[in-house]
Amino acid sequence: MRHSSIKFDIQFVEEKVPVVVDKDALKATIETAKEALKEADKYTEESVKALEAAVAEAEKVVADENATQESVDAAKTAVEEATKGLTEKPAPEVNKDALKTAIETAKEALKEADKYTEESVKALEAAVAEAEKVVADETTTQESVDAATTAVEEATRGLAEKPAVPEVNKDALKAAIEKAEDVLENLEEDAYTPESVEALKGALETAKGSI
């Protein structure tokens, strides 16, 4: 009896170990970039657009289940560089000419401070003092300059003249003084008491001082 030979071909199939792609760092970088973009108005349009584009591409990589670690790392680097590349807009030029003119006008008005009430003069002096601080401040904004200009202009317009002092008619007083002087010149010593004479002299000096 012949035995047939049977061959068994056994093949070992090596099972592929799934590659774990770490996207945590990329996600954190995207969040940082989005925080920066909340203040997009501070930065130039070009640098903002570059970061927005990098974030958009990075989010595609995060969503891609087949993304490799290399593509994740590349996206992370691109977002980081674009975030660092955000360029602040240059500060707008501040025009202080109108404020300086308002201050000069106010100072001219204050040369005649005696004409105005103490309260209105103090209000203008305070407005001018604050305005001069704004002029000296190299970091001030146009809004601050405009506000100071308005304050000085309003305080200048608010100067209130003192009420006019009515003119006093002193003719009667002058006549009384002349009469008193005449009495003293022609005074009979025994006609008046020394006290009354002194009283008249004192009143006469007071009256003369008020003319």
Side-chain angles (χ1 to χ4, degrees), residues 16-191:
K16 290 184 179 179
V17 178
V19 178
V20 178
V21 177
D22 185 0
K23 299 180 180 180
D24 290 344
L26 175 57
K27 290 175 183 177
T29 303
I30 291 171
E31 288 306 310
T32 301
K34 286 184 174 180
E35 282 299 312
L37 287 171
K38 287 179 181 179
E39 296 183 304
D41 291 341
K42 285 173 53 179
Y43 306 108
T44 62
E45 183 179 359
E46 184 180 1
S47 65
V48 168
K49 284 185 175 178
L51 179 54
E52 288 174 338
V55 168
E57 286 301 316
E59 287 180 327
K60 290 179 183 177
V61 174
V62 170
D64 184 2
E65 295 180 358
N66 298 316
T68 63
Q69 191 64 55
E70 288 75 14
S71 61
V72 169
D73 294 343
K76 173 178 170 290
T77 300
V79 173
E80 286 175 338
E81 289 181 352
T83 302
K84 285 187 245 179
L86 283 173
T87 306
E88 288 195 9
K89 293 177 182 177
E93 186 175 348
V94 178
N95 189 329
K96 300 179 181 179
D97 292 344
L99 177 55
K100 291 176 181 177
T101 300
I103 291 172
E104 289 306 312
T105 301
K107 286 183 175 180
E108 282 299 314
L110 287 171
K111 288 179 181 179
E112 298 182 303
D114 291 341
K115 286 173 53 179
Y116 306 108
T117 62
E118 183 179 0
E119 184 180 2
S120 64
V121 168
K122 283 185 176 179
L124 180 54
E125 288 174 337
V128 168
E130 286 301 315
E132 288 181 325
K133 290 179 186 177
V134 174
V135 170
D137 185 0
E138 294 181 358
T139 63
T140 192
T141 62
Q142 190 65 51
E143 289 77 11
S144 297
V145 171
D146 294 343
T149 303
T150 299
V152 172
E153 289 174 342
E154 288 181 352
T156 303
R157 286 194 296 269
L159 283 173
E161 289 194 8
K162 293 177 181 176
V165 178
E167 188 175 347
V168 179
N169 189 335
K170 298 182 179 179
D171 292 342
L173 179 59
K174 290 177 182 176
I177 290 171
E178 290 176 3
K179 183 177 180 180
E181 288 176 336
D182 184 58
V183 168
L184 288 172
E185 285 177 6
N186 301 295
L187 186 66
E188 294 180 10
E189 292 184 6
D190 298 333

Side-chain angles (χ1 to χ4, degrees), residues 180 184 187 192-207:
L184 288 172
L187 186 66
Y192 303 97
T193 63
E195 292 81 1
S196 62
V197 171
E198 288 302 317
L200 178 59
K201 287 180 179 179
L204 181 60
E205 289 303 316
T206 301

